[in-house]
């Protein structure tokens, strides 16, 4: 299923209405837009007649809710529908006829060809009045369906242009042809999931399939190509071969998540694959997996049977850890052997089901038949720890002896921690020495010495582990060795590939947060940044040094002017480069995925630090936009330009944003940005009026009002106003919005809680407004926040001390 939303589709079966055959064979209500009739039988069960009312534009998956995923059958589908609509299903239509009900109304009956043997959950139909575009790829028809106006504007042409090539590319890659005679892709205006891989009839949220020519953004193209490629990957992993039970869901979603990047790279070759994979897959799951206790990639089958709801398995572990483990597997097997094994696996279990042991068996068969790749153990013994254990390892490397040890990474490393972390792995280690790739080594013990990995005393002799980020682990280097790395970076950062610079900084700060490394060692790695021109590396640095949830807090400490002086000096070269492009010709960035994705972050942090040129740039561009709203600000920096254009202006700038928010021509995206930006004003009276308008008027939806409160609570000026407004207007707010406004403010207040007295003051309000169970939960949250803030204060003090010593470097 689509990566950006994964529950709808498998859940919707519970909504299918079973009607009596007499109703279906008798009178049809004139108000019905259509009926679909499906007969299926499986494993000797009697045929079941299913019917459901349809809206004018309607999509449905047809299957028992969370049924056995390995339940497979052939389907014969006939849909009775209003003649003004078209009916689609998994297979091509083989007949269209008419029928008349007892009231004399004429209905269209569309009959579809019999499906191949397939799982129930990918059976689907659509009844709509959409238009479509079509193309033929290797003799098979591909159609993209969407609202007529979207088709007229050419907003589905990109999807049409990439779908066929991705299909052909994956067919050739797997050496297995796509078995259905046609494929429809449908853009649905209202769809909870990002997409759904129904065989022959894939359904998408509109934003996941539509790319309008006027957007001209490589990151939007990349987004659409990734979603389309993910669903096409499912045609083999999930549809052709299905996991036997939900405990091995990663065999579906992990492989689709891996091949979405391989397929998207084929049609959009400019974005660098390794960095995109690290950005969207590997780094996010490494950041959060440790917080998900007892959550292994593959669960024991008995654990996910009975009353267990499989929807909890549709998470970042299944998708991103699954893809990351496959990325690592492909790396140490070599791509040739990996694809050969997948071909064997897919052919053996076509139109059937498999578990992860079946996959290991077919990989082992390929390994046993060659002598190019030698493994230290069987495929099953290597891979089971990665899939059946929770967590991942952190490798500690001592370059003076060449010793590497492993332990399970955990989030808070305390001396008195009694929690047991005993998992170990057989770890493939790719490594590079002085710029040259070295043969892979295996850590198959808790600790092992590798003589070839000892380094000399020369400051130019260096080794880095986890080349190309192929391994699912973090690397911990000791402080003295990191100083050597830091010096090399200061001399010439290009000595290390971009992905390794990313890894060094991200691992160092993550290990600092978890107690493996001192903060000073991580900070030493930032001294070279004046020579860093890669915007994704800058994103990683700024996200660690100035996390969004600490922005307001940092301004209350002595650290702020030091951080401002240190970082502005470092970022000026990269900032001026991109600011010049924004002022002169932003079209230069049209093919730069990472600039379009992360330039806004750099710009926002520069403005937050008070870089005057950044503030002037925002004021300048906002003023031009006010003079001529048709003169569009580049979409990928619009949010920051609007925010600081309003922040540096007066009520005139704010009023213009208010006017444009209510303008008929403003797009949904622009409205969302303006809603956020109007909260950036530094005028308290405007914020108060803004809050009043959101709550007392009918100008915003409930969701937008909560969004407004949440954004204001994230700023120092806004938090004070929101707290006063919420406490004074709580009965009204609770009646209209429930407790959501309170929790939005609570998120902001938690940043400021440092003493028991502050907790008591907040608790007085909560005691008067909340139910007993909610009072208990807020008390617990506030106590936790106090402890966390004390730890943050200690950390801030250490960073402040480091900055004072290194501010002039």
């Amino acid at each position: 299923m689509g990566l950006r939303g994964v529950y709808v589709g498998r859940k919707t079966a519970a909504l299918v209405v079973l009607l009596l055959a007499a109703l279906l064979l008798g009178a049809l209500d004139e108000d019905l837009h259509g009926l679909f009739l499906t007969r299926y039988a499986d494993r000797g069960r009697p045929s079941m007649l299913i019917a459901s009312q349809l809206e004018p534009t309607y999509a449905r998956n047809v299957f028992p809710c969370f049924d056995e995923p390995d339940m497979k059958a052939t389907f014969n589908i006939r849909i009775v529908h209003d003649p003004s609509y078209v009916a689609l299903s998994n297979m091509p239509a083989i007949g269209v006829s008419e029928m008349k009900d007892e009231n004399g109304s004429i209905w269209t009956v569309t009959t579809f060809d019999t499906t191949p043997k397939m799982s129930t959950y990918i059976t689907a139909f659509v009844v709509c009045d959409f238009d479509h575009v079509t193309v033929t790829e290797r003799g098979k028809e591909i159609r993209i369906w969407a609202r007529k106006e979207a088709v007229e504007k050419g907003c589905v042409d990109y999807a049409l242009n990439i779908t066929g090539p991705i299909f052909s590319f994956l067919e050739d890659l797997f050496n297995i042809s796509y078995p259905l005679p046609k494929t429809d892709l449908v853009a649905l205006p209202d769809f909870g999931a990002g997409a759904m891989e129904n065989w022959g009839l894939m359904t998408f949220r509109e934003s996941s399939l539509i790319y309008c020519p006027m957007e001209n953004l490589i990151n939007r193209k990349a987004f659409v190509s990734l979603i389309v490629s993910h669903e096409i990957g499912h045609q083999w992993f999930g549809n052709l071969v299905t996991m036997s039970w939900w405990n091995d869901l990663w065999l579906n979603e992990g492989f689709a998540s891996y091949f979405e990047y391989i397929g998207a790279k084929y049609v959009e070759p400019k974005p660098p694959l390794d960095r995109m994979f690290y950005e969207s897959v590997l780094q996010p799951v490494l950041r959060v997996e440790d917080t998900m206790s007892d959550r292994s990639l593959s669960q024991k089958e008995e654990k996910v049977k009975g009353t267990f709801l499989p929807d909890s398995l549709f998470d970042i572990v299944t998708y991103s850890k699954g893809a990351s483990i496959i990325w690592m597997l492909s790396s140490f097997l070599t791509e040739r052997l990996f694809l050969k094994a997948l071909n064997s696996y897919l052919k053996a279990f076509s139109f059937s089901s498999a578990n992860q042991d079946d996959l290991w068996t077919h990989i082992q068969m390929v390994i046993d038949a060659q002598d190019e790749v030698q493994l230290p153990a069987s495929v099953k013994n290597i891979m089971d720890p990665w899939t059946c254990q929770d967590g991942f390892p952190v490798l500690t490397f001592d370059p003076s002896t060449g010793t590497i040890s492993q332990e399970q990474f955990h989030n808070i490393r305390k001396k008195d921690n009694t929690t047991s972390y005993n998992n170990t792995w057989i770890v493939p280690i790719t490594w590079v020495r002085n710029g040259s790739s070295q043969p892979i080594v295996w850590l198959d013990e808790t600790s092992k010495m590798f003589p070839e990995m000892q380094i000399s005393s020369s400051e130019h002799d260096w080794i880095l582990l986890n080349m190309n980020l192929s391994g699912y682990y973090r690397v911990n280097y000791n402080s003295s060795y990191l100083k050597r790395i830091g010096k090399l970076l200061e001399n010439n950062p290009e000595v290390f590939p971009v992905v390794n610079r990313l890894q060094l900084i991200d691992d160092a700060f993550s290990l600092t947060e978890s107690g493996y490394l001192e903060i000073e060692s991580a900070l030493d790695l930032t001294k070279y940044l004046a020579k860093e021109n890669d915007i994704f590396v800058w994103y990683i640095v700024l996200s660690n040094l100035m996390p969004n949830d600490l922005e307001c807090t940092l301004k209350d400490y002595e650290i702020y002017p030091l951080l401002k002086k240190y970082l502005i000096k470092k970022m000026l070269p990269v900032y001026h480069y991109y600011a010049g492009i924004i002022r002169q010709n932003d079209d230069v960035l049209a093919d730069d995925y990472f600039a379009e994705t992360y330039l806004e972050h750099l710009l926002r942090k520069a403005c937050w630090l008070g870089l005057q040129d950044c503030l002037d740039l925002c004021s300048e561009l906002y003023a031009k936009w006010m003079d001529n709203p048709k003169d569009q600000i580049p979409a990928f920096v619009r949010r920051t330009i609007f925010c600081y254009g309003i922040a540096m202006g007066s009520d005139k700038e704010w009023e213009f944003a208010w006017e444009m928010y209510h303008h008929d021509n403003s797009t949904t995206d622009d409205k969302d940005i303006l809603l956020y930006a109007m909260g950036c004003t530094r005028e308290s009276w405007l914020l108060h009026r803004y809050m009043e308008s959101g709550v007392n008027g009918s100008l915003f939806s409930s969701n937008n009002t909560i969004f407004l409160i949440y954004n204001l609570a994230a700023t120092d000026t806004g938090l004070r106003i929101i707290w006063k407004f919420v406490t004074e207007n709580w009965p009204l707010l609770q009646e209209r919005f429930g407790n959501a406004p309170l929790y939005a403010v609570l998120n902001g207040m938690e940043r400021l809680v440092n003493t028991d007295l502050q907790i008591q003051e907040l608790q007085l309000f909560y005691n008067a407004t909340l139910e007993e169970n909610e009072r208990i939960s807020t008390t617990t949250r506030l106590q936790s926040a106090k402890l966390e803030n004390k730890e943050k204060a200690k950390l801030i003090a250490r960073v402040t001390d480091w900055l004072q010593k290194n501010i002039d470097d």
Side-chain angles (χ1 to χ4, degrees):
M1 297 181 72
L3 183 62
R4 280 78 188 170
V6 295
Y7 308 119
V8 173
R10 290 178 173 87
K11 282 179 155 180
T12 51
L15 303 178
V16 173
V17 181
L18 300 182
L19 299 181
L20 296 176
L23 173 62
L24 299 175
L25 301 176
L28 293 175
D29 191 295
E30 287 185 23
D31 293 331
L32 297 188
H33 291 287
L35 286 170
F36 77 90
L37 313 182
T38 305
R39 289 187 177 275
Y40 69 89
D42 183 76
R43 297 184 178 176
R45 297 179 183 179
S47 296
M48 183 179 293
L49 193 61
I50 299 178
S52 175
Q53 284 184 259
L54 305 181
E55 296 299 326
T57 301
Y58 195 92
R60 177 75 84 195
N61 282 79
V62 186
F63 55 91
C65 187
F66 287 123
D67 208 335
E68 298 177 45
D70 65 341
M71 178 188 294
K72 291 181 182 283
T74 59
F75 292 79
N76 293 303
I77 296 174
R78 182 168 61 101
I79 300 177
V80 182
H81 56 94
D82 189 288
S84 62
Y85 303 121
V86 63
L88 308 172
S89 190
N90 303 82
M91 297 294 285
I94 57 173
V96 178
S97 59
E98 291 183 349
M99 65 174 288
K100 185 182 295 186
D101 64 21
E102 66 177 11
N103 297 316
S105 298
I106 302 297
W107 296 83
T108 296
V109 180
T110 302
T111 303
F112 298 90
D113 203 355
T114 303
T115 71
K117 189 178 178 184
M118 67 184 201
S119 297
T120 59
Y121 71 83
I122 53 174
T123 310
F125 70 88
V126 171
V127 177
C128 63
D129 60 353
F130 288 170
D131 202 352
H132 72 280
V133 291
T134 184
V135 70
T136 299
E137 181 79 13
R138 293 185 173 177
K140 297 179 179 181
E141 186 177 33
I142 294 171
R143 297 182 295 186
I144 314 292
W145 298 81
R147 290 177 297 110
K148 289 175 178 158
E149 55 268 35
V151 174
E152 289 172 3
K153 292 178 181 178
C155 297
V156 297
D157 292 348
Y158 179 70
L160 185 72
N161 292 336
I162 66 172
T163 299
I166 293 175
F167 261 112
S168 296
F169 172 71
L170 292 182
E171 279 187 332
D172 293 340
L173 203 65
F174 304 142
N175 196 24
I176 296 176
S177 297
Y178 174 66
L180 271 63
K182 67 89 180 177
T183 300
D184 289 306
L185 289 75
V186 186
L188 300 172
D190 185 11
F191 190 52
M196 180 65 202
E197 68 266 22
N198 317 302
W199 224 356
L201 181 60
M202 292 181 271
T203 48
F204 295 76
R205 187 184 303 162
E206 261 192 350
S207 60
S208 299
L209 191 63
I210 283 179
Y211 171 82
C212 295
M214 68 285 296
E215 292 181 82
N216 195 30
L217 294 173
I218 188 68
N219 58 359
R220 271 290 299 149
K221 278 187 175 181
F223 174 75
V224 172
S225 67
L226 286 167
I227 298 290
V228 171
S229 185
H230 182 97
E231 304 312 324
I232 294 175
H234 268 310
Q235 309 308 299
W236 286 268
F237 293 95
N239 295 4
L240 184 64
V241 179
T242 311
M243 73 275 170
S244 296
W245 187 247
W246 300 104
N247 61 308
D248 278 334
L249 179 61
W250 77 275
L251 293 176
N252 279 23
E253 300 300 349
F255 273 96
S257 298
Y258 172 78
F259 280 109
E260 75 175 77
Y261 285 85
I262 306 301
K265 179 67 176 175
Y266 177 72
V267 293
E268 286 295 338
K270 289 184 179 178
L273 176 64
D274 52 359
R275 276 187 277 168
M276 283 187 68
F277 192 86
Y278 185 70
E279 167 219 20
S280 300
V281 180
L282 183 56
Q283 194 228 22
V285 70
L286 285 174
R287 281 278 172 181
V288 305
E289 192 195 350
D290 184 62
T291 64
M292 306 172 73
S293 60
D294 193 27
R295 173 67 174 94
S296 59
L297 186 57
S298 179
Q299 304 279 322
K300 291 182 178 179
E301 188 170 329
E302 58 268 22
K303 188 174 180 180
V304 291
K305 285 201 169 181
T307 58
F308 178 85
L309 289 179
D311 60 357
S312 64
L313 296 176
F314 288 86
D315 62 9
I316 191 171
V317 171
T318 294
Y319 284 75
S320 295
K321 182 175 182 178
S324 300
I325 296 304
I326 295 164
W327 177 276
M328 181 173 66
L329 178 65
S330 173
S331 177
F332 73 73
L333 286 178
T334 72
E335 184 182 30
R336 183 182 68 83
L337 295 180
F338 175 63
L339 291 173
K340 187 175 182 180
L342 291 188
N343 172 265
S344 175
Y345 166 78
L346 290 170
K347 282 184 175 177
F349 296 99
S350 290
F351 306 101
S352 184
S353 303
N355 58 40
Q356 74 168 18
D357 279 349
D358 295 320
L359 176 63
W360 304 153
T361 297
H362 281 265
I363 295 175
Q364 189 67 55
M365 288 165 52
V366 170
I367 292 295
D368 292 343
Q370 55 82 54
D371 54 14
E372 173 189 347
V373 173
Q374 301 298 318
L375 301 181
S378 69
V379 173
K380 178 176 173 60
N381 287 342
I382 292 172
M383 294 307 300
D384 271 359
W386 294 99
T387 59
C388 298
Q389 295 180 153
D390 60 292
F392 58 88
V394 54
L395 306 188
T396 299
F397 176 47
D398 182 349
S400 63
T401 63
T403 300
I404 303 177
S405 59
Q406 66 165 293
E407 62 178 296
Q408 183 174 355
F409 180 89
H410 49 98
N411 197 260
I412 303 296
R413 195 186 197 198
K414 297 179 181 177
K415 292 180 180 179
D416 59 349
N417 197 325
T418 58
T419 306
S420 175
Y421 293 92
N422 295 323
N423 291 342
T424 57
W425 293 261
I426 299 177
V427 186
I429 301 174
T430 54
W431 59 295
V432 59
R433 183 173 200 145
N434 302 332
S436 299
S437 301
Q438 304 297 313
I440 189 172
V441 297
W442 290 86
L443 180 62
D444 51 4
E445 304 169 23
T446 302
S447 180
K448 191 173 182 179
M449 182 182 290
F450 299 93
E452 68 271 31
M453 300 179 78
Q454 294 179 15
I455 63 170
S456 68
S457 58
S458 169
E459 63 181 18
H460 299 293
D461 191 17
W462 57 269
I463 287 173
L464 290 182
L465 309 188
N466 200 11
M467 184 179 65
N468 297 327
L469 305 172
S470 58
Y472 190 70
Y473 51 81
R474 291 200 184 275
V475 181
N476 183 23
Y477 303 101
N478 61 41
S479 57
S480 61
Y481 185 61
L482 282 178
K483 282 187 179 294
R484 178 184 294 194
I485 297 297
K487 291 293 184 184
L488 288 167
L489 285 168
E490 288 181 67
N491 290 333
N492 178 18
E494 299 296 327
V495 73
F496 303 122
V498 172
V499 289
N500 288 113
R501 303 203 298 272
L502 289 170
Q503 176 207 21
L504 279 166
I505 292 171
D506 195 46
D507 277 1
F509 278 101
S510 177
L511 292 166
T512 292
E513 292 173 17
S514 303
Y516 292 87
L517 189 67
E518 300 300 326
I519 183 62
E520 292 80 3
S521 294
L523 291 169
D524 283 342
L525 289 176
T526 68
K527 290 182 178 180
Y528 87 97
L529 284 173
K531 296 181 178 180
E532 179 58 74
N533 57 16
D534 187 89
I535 200 160
F536 186 35
V537 176
W538 268 104
Y539 169 78
I540 295 293
V541 171
L542 295 174
S543 296
N544 280 289
L545 286 179
M546 298 186 298
N548 293 341
D549 62 342
L550 276 183
E551 282 190 358
C552 295
T553 307
L554 289 175
K555 286 192 173 182
D556 295 335
Y557 290 87
E558 183 187 359
I559 191 175
Y560 178 73
L562 297 171
L563 196 62
K564 174 178 178 177
K565 183 177 179 181
Y566 180 77
L567 279 177
I568 285 181
K569 181 179 178 181
K570 302 289 186 187
M571 70 165 53
L572 276 178
V574 69
Y575 166 80
H576 281 308
Y577 171 76
Y578 283 110
I581 290 175
I582 292 172
R583 282 188 167 103
Q584 296 169 18
N585 182 17
D586 60 270
D587 289 340
V588 172
L589 302 178
D591 291 327
D592 191 332
Y593 171 84
F594 282 99
E596 288 185 1
T597 305
Y598 292 116
L599 180 53
E600 180 124 55
H601 190 82
L602 178 76
L603 198 66
R604 187 169 69 83
K605 295 297 185 181
C607 284
W608 180 83
L609 286 167
L611 178 58
Q612 191 59 50
D613 188 75
C614 181
L615 300 173
D616 292 344
L617 173 63
C618 293
S619 296
E620 171 190 328
L621 293 182
Y622 192 85
K624 286 184 178 179
W625 181 62
M626 289 177 64
D627 289 340
N628 181 14
K630 292 183 180 179
D631 184 14
Q632 286 291 307
I633 295 169
F636 47 89
V637 292
R638 196 172 296 161
R639 187 179 179 89
T640 294
I641 299 298
F642 282 3
C643 175
Y644 281 94
I646 290 171
M648 300 306 294
S650 63
D651 57 328
K652 181 178 72 171
E653 283 74 16
W654 194 94
E655 293 285 1
F656 185 78
W658 179 261
E659 178 187 339
M660 294 304 296
Y661 179 86
H662 294 97
H663 199 285
D664 291 340
N665 290 335
S666 293
T667 66
T668 301
D669 286 345
D670 277 345
K671 285 180 180 290
D672 289 343
I673 292 172
L674 288 165
L675 187 71
Y676 159 80
M678 285 186 284
C680 296
T681 179
R682 297 173 181 177
E683 298 289 345
S684 297
W685 68 274
L686 280 172
L687 288 177
H688 189 79
R689 192 179 84 179
Y690 190 33
M691 193 67 255
E692 288 276 3
S693 300
V695 174
N696 294 328
S698 58
L699 297 170
F700 304 125
S701 68
S702 295
N703 285 340
N704 281 347
T705 298
I706 301 303
F707 176 76
L708 186 159
I709 293 173
Y710 182 83
N711 280 324
L712 290 184
T715 67
D716 44 7
T717 304
L719 181 58
R720 175 174 52 83
I721 291 171
I722 286 294
W723 175 249
K724 182 174 183 292
F725 190 89
V726 167
T727 53
E728 291 177 352
N729 297 275
W730 179 244
L732 172 64
L733 289 168
Q734 188 178 44
E735 178 184 353
R736 292 190 179 180
F737 310 110
N739 287 337
L742 183 64
Y743 285 109
V745 175
L746 181 58
N747 285 330
M749 297 302 292
E750 285 174 357
R751 299 193 306 268
L752 308 178
V753 172
N754 292 294
T755 67
D756 288 332
L757 179 60
Q758 288 172 320
I759 291 178
Q760 291 169 13
E761 290 174 347
L762 289 170
Q763 200 65 53
L764 286 175
F765 174 71
Y766 299 141
N767 289 345
T769 57
L770 298 178
E771 300 293 333
E772 182 178 359
N773 63 324
E774 293 174 316
R775 293 200 298 269
I776 294 171
S777 66
T778 54
T779 301
T780 302
R781 285 180 61 173
L782 290 171
Q783 289 288 355
S784 297
K786 183 187 78 170
L787 295 175
E788 289 177 10
N789 290 339
K790 284 187 175 181
E791 292 299 317
K792 287 175 183 176
K794 292 178 184 177
L795 185 64
I796 288 171
R798 290 178 63 180
V799 176
T800 301
D801 184 58
W802 185 90
L803 286 169
Q804 288 172 333
K805 295 174 182 175
N806 295 275
I807 196 83
D808 295 321
D809 284 0

